[in-house]
Amino acid sequence: MNKKLKGTLAVILALAVAFAFASCSGEQKEDSDEAVTYEVTGDVLEADGKTMTIELDDDSTLTFNYEGVPVHDMGSGPEYGQIATVCYEGEPEGDDLSKCKLSYIVIQMGKEKKINGKLTALNDKASTLTINDGEKDLTFDVSKAERHYKDGIRIGNQIVIDYYGRINGTDTTYAHVTAVIDNDLNSEKHKETVTVKMVTQTVWTKEVVNVRAGSSTATEVVATLKKGTKLTRTGILSDGWSRIEYKGKDRYIFSDALTTKDPDKHPTTTTTATTTTTTAKPTTEPTTSTVTETTAEPTTETTTQTSTAPAGITSPLKGIITEFTADEQTTKITIKADDDTLFRFDVTNANIHLLDGHTVGAEVLVEFEGTIIDGDTSKVDVKSVSTLVKN
């Protein structure tokens, strides 16, 4: 049986393992100048902390005890689907390495693979999803995977899954998913053709707002403008964006973040409405010969009404995800802001990019149209949710 066993006096290991462990030839010289050193490389099929089984290129397997053997595993293994390079001394007996001295084992990631299929089931609380690749249903654990949802995620969408490891029939137990990508468009407004109404208007920003290269939160932010910035609007898009002229180029801002009212002429202040009722002077002259004209103090009723708009929260909003749920119909998140206030968002049609797999605890930036009043997020339209810092 060909086990791809190779005699060598120097083992060149991938990545940065040379400084961590002595080479095979180094170990040989310390123990015995006559010892023969071998290395073997294969895919990890099983590893439980004591026994490891690897599969070689000719589909044969090799099982051995690696208790007490130094393992350089990049902090993530050994696991099914990874590649193990085993360095040892002595002559194996067939598939038996029990009489050989294992020097060390280096674990590397296997080659990343892709599989695509139609999404048939989604349970984000359990961090699993099922796709059909045209022949069979495959259920994957995506708890450690990045998520890239262009327009939310829906049953029936075509999903791409990046993974390493192996899929045996319908068994995906040892397929380690690194990313889930859904580029299908779901919301009706995205399926419609976007129209542009040509205008030439002077507008001002109502809040701090991002200027983007395109009419999507997935495009580059080219500038961030303060409240009250004067701009020229050249187009109103049917999908809720405005085209503006910025530094000689067409750029885009959420329409709800713009106003045609000059803030210098229409200051946002607390207004007081006053109603005054005054007793009128008599319209006839007195009948006495002596006229004494007395100016009476007017009777005045004053009603004061103070109108103060409630404090609102505008996009973007930063926070920590405390809950993430997705099912066949909706995707929702709850985030805790810096002041510990909780906000619940419907992100069903949002552009979602989460880096850390397990979403709870991730620090994210939520960009939306509209204003949150008294914690009510029901009237805002979330455009994107993105991880700020990878843990």
Side-chain angles (χ1 to χ4, degrees):
M1 183 180 293
N2 179 16
K3 303 179 179 60
K4 306 291 185 182
L5 302 180
K6 301 180 297 181
T8 181
L9 296 177
V11 176
I12 301 175
L13 298 176
L15 306 172
V17 300
F19 69 91
F21 301 104
S23 68
C24 287
S25 59
E27 291 291 339
Q28 172 192 332
K29 289 181 180 180
E30 288 180 9
D31 293 338
S32 171
D33 290 337
E34 298 178 358
V36 178
T37 305
Y38 296 89
E39 69 170 19
V40 61
T41 299
D43 294 332
V44 177
L45 295 182
E46 185 177 2
D48 59 10
K50 296 181 180 181
T51 303
M52 183 183 302
T53 300
I54 62 176
E55 184 176 56
L56 309 181
D57 290 345
D58 62 356
D59 294 330
S60 62
T61 60
L62 192 63
T63 301
F64 51 88
N65 186 297
Y66 67 104
E67 285 185 282
V69 178
V71 177
H72 185 78
D73 64 1
M74 311 293 288
S76 61
E79 294 179 333
Y80 181 97
Q82 294 179 332
I83 297 174
T85 298
V86 184
C87 184
Y88 61 94
E89 296 174 357
E91 289 287 349
E93 296 180 359
D95 295 341
D96 185 9
L97 289 181
S98 61
K99 295 183 179 180
C100 298
K101 179 182 178 182
L102 274 61
S103 302
Y104 58 84
I105 301 170
V106 175
I107 302 296
Q108 300 177 61
M109 298 285 281
K111 182 179 179 181
E112 190 169 73
K113 305 168 188 175
K114 293 181 181 291
I115 187 171
N116 62 76
K118 182 178 291 187
L119 184 67
T120 59
L122 174 67
N123 183 352
D124 214 294
K125 276 194 170 181
S127 296
T128 63
L129 58 78
T130 302
I131 65 170
N132 186 284
D133 66 354
E135 298 179 355
K136 55 188 177 297
D137 284 337
L138 299 167
T139 300
F140 293 90
D141 179 348
V142 297
S143 60
K144 297 180 181 178
E146 290 187 28
R147 292 172 171 83
H148 303 261
Y149 303 157
K150 186 171 184 177
D151 182 27
I153 188 167
R154 294 286 197 291
I155 299 300
N157 284 5
Q158 195 73 13
I159 305 298
V160 177
I161 294 177
D162 293 342
Y163 72 99
Y164 67 89
R166 293 189 181 186
I167 299 172
N168 293 327
T170 59
D171 182 10
T172 62
T173 304
Y174 299 108
H176 297 274
V177 179
T178 57
V180 179
I181 303 164
D182 178 359
N183 284 324
D184 277 3
L185 297 178
N186 309 306
S187 57
E188 290 303 318
K189 70 177 182 181
H190 282 140
K191 294 177 182 178
E192 297 171 355
T193 301
V194 176
T195 59
V196 181
K197 178 182 178 182
M198 305 295 288
V199 297
T200 301
Q201 294 178 322
T202 300
V203 293
W204 290 263
T205 56
K206 295 193 294 185
E207 57 202 49
V208 176
V209 67
N210 288 329
V211 178
R212 292 188 177 270
S215 56
S216 166
T217 54
T219 60
E220 177 190 4
V221 176
V222 297
T224 300
L225 303 180
K226 65 181 181 179
K227 179 180 178 181
T229 302
K230 184 179 178 180
L231 300 164
T232 298
R233 176 159 56 187
T234 61
I236 300 175
L237 282 64
S238 61
D239 62 353
W241 290 81
S242 284
R243 186 180 63 206
I244 57 105
E245 184 180 306
Y246 184 75
K247 294 186 176 181
K249 295 183 178 181
D250 287 341
R251 300 302 190 192
Y252 298 85
I253 293 177
F254 291 148
S255 294
D256 286 350
L258 300 173
T259 178
T260 56
K261 293 182 179 181
D262 185 346
D264 292 335
K265 294 182 179 180
H266 302 84
T268 304
T269 58
T270 300
T271 59
T272 303
T274 304
T275 303
T276 304
T277 303
T278 305
T279 303
K281 295 175 62 175
T283 56
T284 58
E285 293 292 329
T287 57
T288 57
S289 57
T290 303
V291 178
T292 303
E293 186 173 336
T294 304
T295 302
E297 291 293 326
T299 304
T300 304
E301 282 183 25
T302 302
T303 303
T304 302
Q305 296 177 338
T306 302
S307 176
T308 304
I313 298 172
T314 55
S315 177
L317 181 63
K318 182 175 69 173
I320 304 295
I321 295 181
T322 61
E323 185 178 11
F324 185 102
T325 59
D327 56 30
E328 297 183 2
Q329 301 297 324
T330 59
T331 304
K332 295 183 178 182
I333 65 168
T334 301
I335 70 169
K336 182 169 69 173
D338 291 342
D339 62 357
D340 291 337
T341 303
L342 296 178
F343 297 94
R344 182 71 167 166
F345 291 98
D346 186 331
V347 297
T348 301
N349 295 321
N351 184 316
I352 300 174
H353 184 193
L354 301 173
L355 297 177
D356 291 313
H358 288 295
T359 51
V360 173
E363 184 179 26
V364 295
L365 191 70
V366 181
E367 292 191 271
F368 55 89
E369 289 181 352
T371 304
I372 302 172
I373 304 295
D374 293 333
D376 180 13
T377 64
S378 62
K379 293 180 174 60
V380 302
D381 182 12
V382 179
K383 297 298 181 181
S384 69
V385 181
S386 54
T387 303
L388 287 175
V389 179
K390 185 175 178 63
N391 293 331

